[in-house]
């Protein structure tokens, strides 16, 4: 089973990736425009505009997104690079009437084949409320990863959200806190040339994830998970 060809941009940033729009093959159509190029010897840009419309019905549904990023990779300046992005759009298929995000990702190469990467992201979302007024929630994400070439990586990640769908609740479904925090640590390494082992421990936020045009649901988790990936 394959999804139809992607009509929207697939993002590497975790908070944007979980909001990738899923196309309905029965009548949804639109377009995607992207431009990229150099601004300097070590600065490049990418801009993207995507829009899709659902089949005519009781109400016209639309997804729209504007994305822009700058990538800085100085040559001979200590082996570091940085990407900053901004994104804004809406998705009435999912009752989202406004969504805007900002993010920064940086990586530095260190001696002894080591590297350090940090990722900072923030997103604000307005959904259509029952009485017409928008209801806002906010996501914040930070991660730090240390890697060694030929060995593997170790990282920690924290997500803080006020999304009502992720808040803890009582037996009657009423929220018992105004925000939720998901924190975890991941260790991964290669075993030979064909296998990779990854261990996660902590609390993981469930939701959508997309890779190479295929989207799937990641289950929420509180505990530990061991994953072995083999390539043949």
């Amino acid at each position: 089973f394959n999804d139809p060809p992607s009509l929207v941009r697939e993002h590497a940033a975790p908070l944007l990736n979980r909001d990738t729009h899923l196309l309905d093959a029965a009548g949804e159509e639109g377009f995607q425009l992207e431009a990229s190029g150099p601004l300097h010897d070590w600065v490049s840009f990418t801009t993207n505009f995507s829009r899709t419309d659902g089949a005519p019905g009781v109400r016209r549904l639309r997804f729209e997104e504007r994305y822009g990023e700058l990538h800085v990779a100085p040559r001979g300046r200590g082996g570091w690079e940085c990407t900053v992005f901004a994104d804004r759009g809406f998705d009435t298929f999912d009752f989202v009437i406004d969504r805007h995000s900002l993010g920064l990702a940086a990586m530095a190469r260190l001696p002894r084949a080591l590297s350090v990467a940090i990722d900072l992201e923030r997103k604000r979302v307005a959904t259509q409320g029952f009485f017409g007024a928008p209801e806002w929630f906010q996501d914040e994400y930070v991660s730090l990863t240390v890697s060694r070439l030929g060995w593997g990586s170790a990282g920690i990640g924290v997500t803080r959200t006020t999304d009502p769908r992720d808040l803890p609740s009582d037996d009657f479904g009423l929220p018992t806190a105004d925000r939720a925090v998901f924190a975890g640590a991941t260790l991964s390494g290669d075993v030979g040339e064909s296998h990779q082992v990854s261990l996660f421990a902590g609390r993981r936020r469930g939701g959508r994830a997309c890779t190479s045009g295929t989207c799937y649901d990641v289950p929420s988790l509180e505990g530990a998970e061991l994953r072995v990936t083999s390539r043949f």
Side-chain angles (χ1 to χ4, degrees):
F1 175 83
N2 290 323
D3 289 332
S6 178
L7 195 62
V8 299
R9 195 174 201 274
E10 183 177 297
H11 298 285
L15 291 186
L16 295 182
N17 185 273
R18 65 180 284 114
D19 290 328
T20 300
H21 176 64
L22 298 182
L23 295 173
D24 182 0
E28 188 175 353
E29 60 184 20
F31 60 89
Q32 178 181 187
L33 302 173
E34 182 164 308
S36 61
L39 295 176
H40 189 272
D41 289 343
W42 40 269
V43 180
S44 60
F45 77 94
T46 299
T47 60
N48 182 281
F49 177 69
S50 302
R51 194 181 94 179
T52 73
D53 290 291
V58 178
R59 65 189 185 100
R60 187 70 165 180
L61 300 177
R62 173 173 292 181
F63 167 85
E64 189 170 298
E65 181 181 43
R66 294 172 174 85
Y67 174 83
E69 75 170 36
L70 287 176
H71 179 70
V72 182
R75 299 176 182 175
R77 300 291 181 87
W80 63 272
E81 58 187 83
C82 176
T83 299
V84 293
F85 72 82
D87 181 275
R88 185 158 193 177
F90 60 87
D91 187 356
T92 57
F93 291 86
D94 201 26
F95 302 100
V96 173
I97 58 177
D98 190 16
R99 177 169 56 215
H100 52 271
S101 308
L102 296 171
L104 178 148
M107 187 272 291
R109 286 175 286 275
L110 305 175
R112 300 180 182 275
L114 291 171
S115 65
V116 178
I118 187 171
D119 193 352
L120 304 171
E121 299 174 34
R122 178 179 179 271
K123 178 178 67 178
R124 280 179 55 82
V125 180
T127 58
Q128 184 66 56
F130 288 107
F131 302 102
E135 298 178 355
W136 289 88
F137 69 84
Q138 181 171 297
D139 289 348
E140 297 169 341
Y141 173 81
V142 58
S143 70
L144 177 67
T145 304
V146 179
S147 305
R148 191 182 192 283
L149 185 64
W151 286 22
S153 64
I156 57 174
V158 180
T159 300
R160 185 171 65 174
T161 181
T162 58
D163 189 339
R165 295 169 295 184
D166 292 308
L167 298 181
S169 58
D170 57 21
D171 294 338
F172 300 98
L174 300 176
T176 57
D178 60 357
R179 66 189 61 199
V181 177
F182 301 86
T186 303
L187 291 173
S188 63
D190 295 327
V191 181
E193 298 181 354
S194 302
H195 310 283
Q196 184 182 60
V197 179
S198 177
L199 174 65
F200 171 85
R203 190 166 181 238
R204 183 178 65 197
R205 185 185 188 187
R208 182 184 306 155
C210 300
T211 304
S212 301
T214 300
C215 295
Y216 49 92
D217 288 327
V218 177
S220 58
L221 173 69
E222 187 168 358
E225 177 187 72
L226 179 66
R227 179 175 297 180
V228 179
T229 303
S230 299
R231 307 175 189 87
F232 299 101

